[in-house]
Amino acid sequence: MNCSIVIRAYNESIHLPRLLEGIQHQTIKDVEIILVDSGSTDATVSIAESFGARIVHIPSDEFTFGRSLNFGVRAARNSSLSCQRTRLSGLSDWLETLLRRLMTNGLH
């Protein structure tokens, strides 16, 4: 099982490390992280890169929530996809639980 996770961000250096650490501790290990950045001026991009995330840039004047997700989805390489907020935290199996439900329902 694999998954691409799209995270849209703008100056999220405070919250991003917790999310990325949580992703590293997931029971699903084959995870591609795509950070869609809309012009952050803090350490957001360097933090994401330190966790191996691919960075997709969107000009801040072109940013909308939907458009930034579209950029990330286009960059995704895996067939399963999850879009996450930087302030998400949870259990170590949330991703596996999500993917299993999608697969069970034929939605992967």
Side-chain angles (χ1 to χ4, degrees):
M1 215 180 314
N2 63 29
C3 184
S4 294
I5 298 178
V6 175
I7 305 163
R8 59 178 183 247
Y10 175 74
N11 289 341
E12 292 287 351
S13 63
I14 293 172
H15 302 286
L16 187 60
R18 183 175 179 190
L19 172 62
L20 296 174
E21 288 167 6
I23 291 170
Q24 282 186 332
H25 291 98
Q26 290 300 299
T27 53
I28 300 291
K29 299 299 181 190
D30 187 3
V31 176
E32 171 192 40
I33 301 169
I34 301 166
L35 181 95
V36 181
D37 182 74
S38 59
S40 293
T41 57
D42 64 0
T44 296
V45 170
S46 61
I47 290 168
E49 289 174 333
S50 75
F51 281 86
R54 286 193 18 233
I55 311 301
V56 174
H57 296 278
I58 183 171
S60 58
D61 62 335
E62 293 181 23
F63 174 85
T64 66
F65 290 111
R67 186 174 187 148
S68 62
L69 289 178
N70 287 339
F71 273 58
V73 168
R74 277 193 295 260
R77 296 180 180 151
N78 293 323
S79 58
S80 295
L81 182 72
S82 176
C83 300
Q84 298 301 326
R85 295 181 39 155
T86 56
R87 297 173 190 194
L88 174 78
S89 61
L91 304 172
S92 63
D93 66 344
W94 65 261
L95 186 56
E96 181 177 2
T97 300
L98 172 68
L99 293 178
R100 287 205 188 285
R101 287 187 181 162
L102 290 173
M103 292 176 75
T104 299
N105 292 311
L107 299 172
H108 63 94

